[in-house]
Amino acid sequence: MAAAGPTRTGSSPLIELAGLQKRYGDRVAVEDLSLEVARGELLVLLGASGSGKTTTLKMVNRLVEPSRGQIWIDGRDTRDQPAHLLRRQIGYCFQQVGLFPHLSVAENVAITPVLLGWDTARIAERVDRLLGMVELDPVEFRDLWPDQLSGGQRQRVGLARALAAEPEVMLLDEPFGALDPLTRDRLQQSFLAIRRELSLTAIFVTHDMVEALLIGDRIAVMREGRLVQVGEPRQLIQQPADDYVADLMATPKRQAAAVDRLLETGSPN
């Protein structure tokens, strides 16, 4: 396995992970992980189930505390403030969404701004703006309950909620994994447009190689808790660090070749 130490991005990093380890008893979930994420960058954590992707993501906002190592956001050690205050500054979006069923769409989106003490007018304006950004008409959706929404609509509300407190950093854990392909593609495009508009810095966890290649500025491949390779999508395809990365990249390459054959001959085989 190729060694993978800290990876310099060429610009001032907003997020820095140094020597992270997470142990659960004798089991090591993450081992000696060092990464940098530049301002405005979307870094994808890619790997199979159990590779340490989600554990790494949760260590960034202290839902999981590292056994060893340090994390800095904008030059500040994340341990320098209470964990709940740190989380209010970081957008967090995950596959299960977790909308509160007893709160309306607007109330779900507004949870963090309310906790931060924003005034009512500012909250209402922010909620309506975000619903519009995730392509949900505020007039139509503001007062609906979560059980009145489709899966894709709930995921859009979850994305709006993660953005509500104007975070500079977003953490996304398989946010679109449970959706049908058309809805998933539409939400990916919506998220990328929002990220560009708001200049967000994001870490995005997925096990889907195609998704990683299409949305990531860089991809960090993890295996069994360790970092295997970090690079731009083209680098991983053309210069895989080992057989594991090569195998991961083989699937999207094979699928692309099959589509090309289908267009040329009418058959993917």
Side-chain angles (χ1 to χ4, degrees), residues 231-265:
E232 296 177 359
R234 176 178 288 190
Q235 282 180 284
L236 268 64
I237 292 173
Q238 296 181 339
Q239 299 173 323
D242 63 9
D243 290 343
Y244 178 72
V245 180
D247 288 344
L248 286 179
M249 295 299 106
T251 298
K253 288 167 68 175
R254 184 170 56 250
Q255 291 173 341
V259 171
D260 286 341
R261 287 193 297 270
L262 180 62
L263 292 173
E264 291 175 1
T265 68

Side-chain angles (χ1 to χ4, degrees), residues 83-106:
H84 69 282
L85 295 180
L86 172 72
R87 292 183 201 121
R88 292 176 190 176
Q89 302 167 42
I90 298 173
Y92 186 56
C93 188
F94 49 98
Q95 182 174 316
Q96 293 80 14
V97 188
L99 299 182
F100 293 101
H102 62 290
L103 298 180
S104 69
V105 165

Side-chain angles (χ1 to χ4, degrees), residues 195-260:
R195 189 181 77 86
R196 286 191 295 268
E197 181 177 341
L198 300 180
S199 299
L200 293 171
T201 303
I203 302 177
F204 190 110
V205 163
T206 186
H207 66 270
D208 186 309
M209 285 74 75
V210 174
E211 182 172 60
L213 291 169
L214 292 178
I215 72 169
D217 296 318
R218 288 188 308 141
I219 300 170
V221 179
M222 296 186 67
R223 184 184 188 191
E224 298 177 352
R226 291 184 177 272
L227 192 60
V228 180
Q229 184 175 4
V230 187
E232 296 177 359
R234 176 178 288 190
Q235 282 180 284
L236 268 64
I237 292 173
Q238 296 181 339
Q239 299 173 323
D242 63 9
D243 290 343
Y244 178 72
V245 180
D247 288 344
L248 286 179
M249 295 299 106
T251 298
K253 288 167 68 175
R254 184 170 56 250
Q255 291 173 341
V259 171
D260 286 341

